[in-house]
Amino acid sequence: MTDTSHIRNFCIVAHIDHGKSTLADRLLELTHAVAERDMREQYLDKMDLERERGITIKAQAVRLAYETGGSAYELNLIDTPGHVDFTYEVSRSLEACEGAVLLVDAAQGVEAQTLANYHLARDAGLVIVPALNKIDLPQAEPDAAARELGELVGWDPEDVLRVSAKTGEGVTALLEAVIERVPPPEGSRQDPLRALIFDSSFDPYRGVVAYLRVKDGVLPSRSRIRLMASKLDSEAEEAGIFAPEATPVAALGPGEVGYLVTGLKDVHQVKVGDTVTIAGKHRAKDPLPGYREPKPMVWSGLFPAEGGDYGSLRDALDRLKLSDAALHYDPETSRALGFGFRCGFLGLLHMDIVKERLEREFGLELIATAPNVEFHVVRSGEIIVVHNPSEMPQPGTYDLVREPVVLATIITPSEYLGPVLDLCQSRRGELLDMKYLSPERAEVHYHLPLAEIIFDFFDQLKSRTRGYASLDYEHWGYEEADLVRVDVLLHGEPVDAFSSVVHREKAAQYGRSMVERLKELIPRQLFDVAIQAAIGSRIVARETVKAKRKDVLAKCYGGDITRKRKLLEQQKKGKARLRRVGKVDVPQEAFIAALRVDERTPGAKR
Amino acid sequence: MSAGVYVHVPFCLTRCGYCDFNAYAGLGELAPRYVRALHREAELTGPDWAGEEIVSVFVGGGTPTTLEVADLTGVFADLRERFEVEPDAEVTIEGNPDTVDEVKLEGLLAAGYERLSMGAQSFDVDVLSALERVHSPTSVRRAFAAARAVGYANVSLDLIYGANGETVDSWGRTLEETIALAPEHVSAYALTIEPSTPLGRKVQSGLVPAPDPDVQADMFEMACGLLSEAGYHHYEVSNWAKPGFECVHNLGYWERRPYVGLGAGAHSYRDDRRWWNVRPPQEYLDRVEAGVLPVGGHERLEPSDAYLEEVFLRLRILEGVPASWIEPAKAEPFLESGLLEEHEGALVPTERGMLLLNKLVLALTG
């Protein structure tokens, strides 16, 4: 155990691609954490990839040893998830630190995620060490960026460090600044143990591994522990640190960061934000503050393309859940898509990751309904929680509806400010404030319904600003909104998978676009097929797919008969992939295409 | 059981853009060898068909009338030698208007080719040029008159509808011109774009629009109306005849009677087995001249294949399928929507149903 005065716990917060991983590499080298021959690019990220395949556990926090001024220091570099879906997880990681390096690309300047992370770090009471990266780039504008950053954190631009993680320039000075500016952790060995879980993972051989920061007391390597929020006791098997490979230690003392093999097998029992203490009479009285249950924000129905794959999908979700505490799912039956699951995700990125893993790792072909948020329907003082648009009650049967709203931060070049404001206004945004970071760049804050953000917002933002604007948001709460359910009917039959909850003013427009899209996707049948969009019993849009009149081979003589039979057999196979909605045959592909919301999620590093 | 003989003549004066048959322009010099090979193949195959009553002979192509009358006379005479051709068998030869005149037709009739099937395609100059046909409407009328003059009492005209530029009106005029000539039999085919043809490539690259299936459906309905008014009986998806003039040979395909094919690429069928000759004329000649049967491939029909064929072929002709073959629940919606009718225990497609035969077959057998 290191004396707390020689410990520094810090993290690096940065916008995507501002060089966090490369800086971590330099720090590993500088502190000789990795032998030169073992060094490879993005060292920590690659360990993370391995973990995904279940081979090892990720280095969520790496211990670096560094000597300066005759003293040996233990530096714990704690990784923070870099995505808006994981704001709560970020906040817990920050909770494990006393300081944060705020890293900004000298060519790009401050971005939305820089700001969001800065605010989170500041709110967590962290000391900020501002630094510019990539000063070696010819297009770097360190002076301008330093002014921007200095203004942001209230520092003299002169005090903003300048580094090149690529060449190593300024990295030693950065390390010295961390030791000098970031305060050592507090906490006494004599107090009852309280350790904060800031992440966890599942190892197929060792069960659930918690990543934690000891706040008070001592965590021995083998001990009977209690998880205070889960109210669970367990025999912990091993405590250790990442140096950067997992290394067992005898104990973790106050201020130290490491891992604990919890002895538990279910990742849901080891919750981010929970407090670990010693079981029995030595246990702490109060948990550490700030614990929150993981809460899905985005919902989508997942259905196997092949109906027979329902069991495989259920098994795959059960398996994924072992290592993903935030994943939520309940069986759902759709009249159009059959048996599947309504799944809850932290956000769009989380949703994409889960879908991709289901398809890639489990070989499933999926149909996903368009993502939706959670609605709160209020009826005579009672709140009905709706995760599935097709379950939204009909208008007139309830008092009001509330929807989740976010506080969005957008940074854009000033020249695109107009289009950005237009976009936010068109998405029911409420402008909170706006300021210029420099004459060229503006920062805008908006209240925006989350439902608008998950519908193609990021793509629109990027296309209106030629890719220059950045977006971050945090959840704000639930607000009343005039929302209605729009149903889509095929030949008079509602297709539950196409139902959507949208703002009343946009309902007709949404209905029209859906109906037009479907008109292109539904093949002609033996009868006219009406495609309608309806709010309650009111039809707001209608198109017709005219009946098919001709489907026959004109000639069929001697040699054609074999060919014709094979053609029919092929059509028969194609027919097996059709889904029946009432009397209408709808190809799988039509569902997939109609439900696709083309968008990329903000900050997704993929 | 009664059987048919098909003879394929793969030569054409020019190749039409839409055609994907086994036909070649510019191979005319192979004709004498080819005729000898037909004789040889008949000699090789004939014994296998001993005991089969041949009720129809059909010489098709390509353009059979590119061959000399003497050769065609010899071929049919030889078929009578090698096969048990019934005295009243239907004997058809295909010809196109530019390769026949009175002299030739007289010779063919004398040789025993009593039924003439002529590729008229259209009476609209623009349509003929869109189809890359070299003949003119006038030559169709002239050839038809020649056939009548020499005594042909059983003539069929082939028509194609839905080519680029053809309107429902112009198709109506083609039908009226056809009816005015009063042939005994009319075949009217919706133009089908085959990807491997020059026209198919033009459609794929967007140079020529694909036929509009709705317009073709209108044209089909127009043909049904006008031909029926003129006394023709609609007995197969694309075929109409005056009573008693249905094509015996083609009915054989749809009724799944056995047939033997002679010539390059010709198909044969008997006892749930199909086989076919090699397609390239040169390869066909080499094999036959070496004294081997020129079979290029074969397939045996599983009972499920045979069932599917039986259903889709019977539905093409007015015979229909016995109602007992089909689950009532599957037929019900089509009886209701008027695509099928029930006649004496058989399910028969209506004219509207004929146009949607693929869908019907899939729904009834699925």
Side-chain angles (χ1 to χ4, degrees):
Chain A
M1 280 181 285
T2 311
D3 187 87
T4 52
S5 64
H6 286 80
I7 298 176
R8 297 293 183 275
N9 294 320
F10 73 107
C11 57
I12 305 168
V13 293
H15 193 75
I16 184 151
D17 290 336
H18 280 204
K20 186 164 115 173
S21 300
T22 313
L23 179 59
D25 285 350
R26 291 297 88 73
L27 293 175
L28 288 177
E29 276 176 2
L30 199 63
T31 57
H32 311 291
V34 181
E36 213 166 295
R37 65 187 150 83
D38 294 332
M39 192 60 204
R40 51 181 193 245
E41 263 181 49
Q42 309 217 324
Y43 192 92
L44 299 177
D45 285 359
K46 296 215 167 123
M47 289 179 75
D48 194 47
L49 272 182
E50 285 175 353
R51 180 198 68 103
E52 197 181 278
R53 281 181 263 128
I55 298 164
T56 181
I57 44 183
K58 66 178 166 181
Q60 197 58 23
V62 54
R63 181 180 292 193
L64 311 170
Y66 187 70
E67 261 183 57
T68 183
S71 302
Y73 287 90
E74 171 192 324
L75 305 176
N76 292 304
L77 171 57
I78 292 157
D79 194 24
T80 55
H83 191 267
V84 58
D85 282 3
F86 307 104
T87 306
Y88 174 66
E89 286 68 17
V90 174
S91 79
R92 294 307 88 194
S93 299
L94 296 176
E95 218 35 68
C97 308
E98 278 77 35
V101 173
L102 183 63
L103 193 67
V104 173
D105 185 322
Q108 307 286 329
V110 172
E111 297 283 6
Q113 263 178 286
T114 320
L115 283 181
N117 287 326
Y118 164 68
H119 290 300
L120 282 172
R122 195 193 52 187
D123 293 350
L126 268 51
V127 167
I128 310 291
V129 180
L132 294 175
N133 189 21
K134 307 194 189 181
I135 56 168
D136 57 302
L137 289 183
Q139 67 270 36
E141 292 184 52
D143 292 338
R147 263 199 311 282
E148 240 179 46
L149 190 53
E151 195 159 308
L152 177 69
V153 293
W155 278 70
D156 186 335
E158 293 297 307
D159 290 330
V160 174
L161 296 163
R162 297 182 183 201
V163 303
S164 165
K166 196 170 144 205
T167 65
E169 184 184 348
V171 177
T172 306
L174 176 72
L175 214 45
E176 300 273 350
V178 167
I179 289 168
E180 189 187 318
R181 298 185 199 171
V182 175
E186 291 166 357
S188 147
R189 290 183 193 197
Q190 277 68 50
D191 287 342
L193 171 69
R194 291 203 299 175
L196 171 74
I197 298 175
F198 58 87
D199 200 359
S200 69
S201 67
F202 180 78
D203 181 276
Y205 301 104
R206 310 202 67 184
V208 182
V209 180
Y211 304 91
L212 39 71
R213 150 77 192 266
V214 178
K215 290 280 188 179
D216 309 305
V218 172
L219 173 62
S221 194
R222 298 183 73 88
S223 52
R224 186 160 179 80
I225 55 158
R226 180 171 182 83
L227 297 173
M228 298 183 79
S230 292
K231 300 187 171 57
L232 267 176
D233 291 354
S234 176
E235 296 294 340
E237 290 167 12
E238 176 185 308
I241 58 160
F242 295 100
E245 307 298 333
T247 313
V249 295
L252 289 171
E256 290 193 307
V257 175
Y259 67 86
L260 180 70
V261 180
T262 58
L264 293 163
K265 299 295 172 212
D266 180 355
V267 80
H268 302 89
Q269 295 169 333
V270 183
K271 292 166 174 161
V272 169
D274 201 350
T275 302
V276 177
T277 186
I278 298 293
K281 62 180 180 346
H282 295 297
R283 74 181 198 209
K285 218 164 90 230
D286 299 312
L288 295 163
Y291 172 73
R292 204 173 80 191
E293 289 282 336
K295 187 165 161 35
M297 299 305 295
V298 173
W299 298 79
S300 166
L302 295 185
F303 296 86
E306 301 289 341
D309 281 348
Y310 173 77
S312 314
L313 174 58
R314 188 191 50 219
D315 293 346
L317 285 167
D318 288 346
R319 287 272 302 282
L320 278 192
K321 200 172 158 71
L322 289 178
S323 60
D324 185 346
L327 175 63
H328 201 282
Y329 55 93
D330 288 309
E332 175 184 0
T333 309
S334 157
R335 288 186 61 183
L337 299 178
F339 293 107
F341 293 90
R342 176 74 20 186
C343 301
F345 309 96
L346 294 174
L348 291 177
L349 176 66
H350 186 212
M351 180 177 84
D352 286 348
I353 291 171
V354 169
K355 255 165 46 188
E356 197 177 305
R357 289 188 66 184
L358 287 170
E359 293 185 330
R360 191 169 44 110
E361 295 173 28
F362 297 91
L364 291 163
E365 199 186 333
L366 297 175
I367 299 179
T369 65
N372 60 273
V373 300
E374 173 181 306
F375 301 100
H376 292 173
V377 179
V378 183
R379 180 190 278 159
S380 356
E382 198 189 334
I383 292 178
I384 307 160
V385 175
V386 175
H387 291 151
N388 182 346
S390 69
E391 286 167 8
M392 181 85 175
Q394 289 296 349
T397 65
Y398 52 85
D399 302 323
L400 57 95
V401 188
R402 296 200 184 99
E403 64 172 339
V405 171
V406 300
L407 168 61
T409 302
I410 297 167
I411 294 191
T412 175
S414 317
E415 58 184 301
Y416 302 120
L417 191 56
V420 167
L421 297 182
D422 285 347
L423 174 64
C424 292
Q425 291 304 132
S426 77
R427 297 305 179 93
R428 302 191 279 132
E430 184 196 332
L431 180 64
L432 298 177
D433 59 54
M434 188 172 90
K435 70 176 180 199
Y436 284 88
L437 297 169
S438 69
E440 292 81 35
R441 277 149 54 85
E443 175 189 354
V444 189
H445 289 118
Y446 259 96
H447 266 171
L448 276 163
L450 179 61
E452 297 286 344
I453 295 225
I454 66 174
F455 189 76
D456 158 33
F457 184 85
F458 192 64
D459 262 4
Q460 286 293 323
L461 182 67
K462 285 289 180 192
S463 79
R464 287 174 193 219
T465 61
R466 306 182 67 187
Y468 283 115
S470 56
L471 164 74
D472 204 295
Y473 59 84
E474 60 185 279
H475 296 289
W476 192 253
Y478 274 74
E479 282 179 10
E480 186 180 343
D482 190 7
L483 301 175
V484 290
R485 183 176 108 200
V486 180
D487 293 323
V488 173
L489 295 86
L490 278 189
H491 206 57
E493 194 82 26
V495 187
D496 50 10
F498 292 148
S499 287
S500 189
V501 173
V502 290
H503 193 265
R504 188 181 299 275
E505 281 174 11
K506 294 181 170 183
Q509 182 200 332
Y510 170 82
R512 248 192 321 276
S513 73
M514 205 56 195
V515 158
E516 279 163 15
R517 198 187 311 197
L518 282 169
K519 192 190 176 187
E520 302 304 314
L521 294 169
I522 306 274
R524 298 171 71 176
Q525 317 270 317
L526 291 176
F527 43 87
D528 285 358
V529 176
I531 307 172
Q532 295 163 302
I535 301 167
S537 57
R538 191 164 61 88
I539 304 296
V540 294
R542 183 196 161 110
E543 290 282 349
T544 304
V545 176
K546 298 295 280 177
K548 191 177 189 104
R549 294 173 57 201
K550 177 177 171 288
D551 184 6
V552 60
L553 199 72
K555 280 195 182 191
C556 188
Y557 298 105
D560 292 328
I561 294 173
T562 299
R563 194 169 73 128
K564 171 75 160 70
R565 193 188 69 242
K566 289 186 172 157
L567 211 77
L568 281 169
E569 278 163 0
Q570 246 171 6
Q571 284 193 15
K572 230 175 206 175
K573 276 186 206 139
K575 216 180 153 206
R577 285 180 63 82
L578 292 173
R579 284 175 188 268
R580 214 90 221 269
V581 176
K583 282 172 70 189
V584 184
D585 288 326
V586 184
Q588 204 84 270
E589 295 67 30
F591 277 103
I592 295 170
L595 292 168
R596 187 178 297 136
V597 179
D598 289 316
E599 75 187 308
R600 232 123 275 125
T601 47
K605 196 171 192 171
R606 297 166 64 196
Chain B
M1 203 208 275
S2 53
V5 175
Y6 176 75
V7 178
H8 189 72
V9 179
F11 310 119
C12 282
L13 294 180
T14 60
R15 196 83 171 78
C16 308
Y18 63 89
C19 173
D20 76 332
F21 290 167
N22 191 31
Y24 307 83
L27 287 187
E29 80 278 7
L30 288 178
R33 271 178 74 194
Y34 192 82
V35 171
R36 283 196 298 278
L38 288 175
H39 286 288
R40 184 88 175 95
E41 193 191 4
E43 184 190 339
L44 290 168
T45 313
D48 288 344
W49 292 78
E52 301 274 9
E53 293 177 6
I54 304 300
V55 297
S56 67
V57 173
F58 196 106
V59 181
T63 313
T65 45
T66 53
L67 296 181
E68 299 297 329
V69 172
D71 287 336
L72 290 164
T73 304
V75 166
F76 182 51
D78 195 36
L79 292 178
R80 282 184 145 143
E81 288 279 309
R82 307 288 177 192
F83 296 89
E84 292 162 30
V85 180
E86 294 287 295
D88 59 348
E90 175 196 88
V91 183
T92 306
I93 187 160
E94 281 183 341
N96 76 32
D98 282 341
T99 54
V100 293
D101 55 22
E102 280 193 30
V103 176
K104 191 155 201 171
L105 288 169
E106 197 164 20
L108 290 173
L109 189 60
Y113 295 102
E114 292 185 331
R115 185 172 182 271
L116 175 68
S117 172
M118 197 149 57
Q121 319 313 357
S122 176
F123 286 90
D124 182 322
V125 185
D126 294 336
V127 173
L128 286 171
S129 106
L131 293 172
E132 300 178 12
R133 296 292 296 212
V134 288
H135 69 257
S136 67
T138 317
S139 59
V140 176
R141 282 186 285 263
R142 202 194 51 231
F144 191 87
R148 288 292 194 226
V150 302
Y152 263 99
N154 190 353
V155 181
S156 176
L157 291 182
D158 276 8
L159 303 173
I160 294 180
Y161 58 87
N164 183 28
E166 184 171 38
T167 62
V168 174
D169 285 348
S170 95
W171 169 239
R173 284 192 294 278
T174 286
L175 284 167
E176 278 159 13
E177 295 246 21
T178 304
I179 290 165
L181 292 176
E184 282 65 38
H185 187 281
V186 176
S187 299
Y189 303 106
L191 174 64
T192 306
I193 303 298
E194 302 291 348
S196 58
T197 59
L199 182 59
R201 287 187 285 275
K202 282 184 192 167
V203 168
Q204 269 163 355
S205 61
L207 289 172
V208 172
D212 180 334
D214 288 348
V215 172
Q216 285 189 325
D218 289 340
M219 291 174 167
F220 174 83
E221 282 170 7
M222 175 174 265
C224 292
L226 291 179
L227 290 169
S228 140
E229 263 172 48
Y232 291 88
H233 167 55
H234 193 182
Y235 73 101
E236 195 263 353
V237 172
S238 305
N239 288 280
W240 286 260
K242 293 274 177 72
F245 286 94
E246 295 83 1
C247 179
V248 173
H249 185 79
N250 289 339
L251 275 169
Y253 296 131
W254 305 319
E255 289 168 356
R256 303 185 74 231
R257 284 188 266 120
Y259 53 89
V260 55
L262 305 177
H267 284 241
S268 305
Y269 166 71
R270 186 168 57 183
D271 299 334
D272 279 342
R273 192 171 158 263
R274 292 188 188 286
W275 66 99
W276 45 89
N277 288 347
V278 293
R279 277 173 73 97
Q282 189 61 57
E283 205 180 329
Y284 167 79
L285 292 176
D286 292 345
R287 296 236 197 155
V288 177
E289 284 166 3
V292 274
L293 281 176
V295 175
H298 70 96
E299 67 167 348
R300 176 160 291 285
L301 300 182
E302 298 300 319
S304 62
D305 299 333
Y307 172 71
L308 185 61
E309 279 192 11
E310 187 82 31
V311 171
F312 86 71
L313 290 172
R314 277 167 170 267
L315 286 174
R316 285 189 80 90
I317 47 179
L318 279 183
E319 199 172 321
V321 288
S324 58
W325 290 12
I326 307 291
E327 285 173 45
K330 285 183 177 167
E332 191 56 43
F334 302 108
L335 288 165
E336 229 165 74
S337 59
L339 297 183
L340 278 180
E341 283 173 349
E342 198 164 345
H343 283 306
E344 294 163 8
L347 297 170
V348 185
T350 59
E351 285 182 336
R352 214 152 57 75
M354 279 184 172
L355 259 185
L356 289 163
L357 216 60
N358 288 359
K359 291 257 182 286
L360 271 181
V361 172
L362 288 175
L364 294 180
T365 62

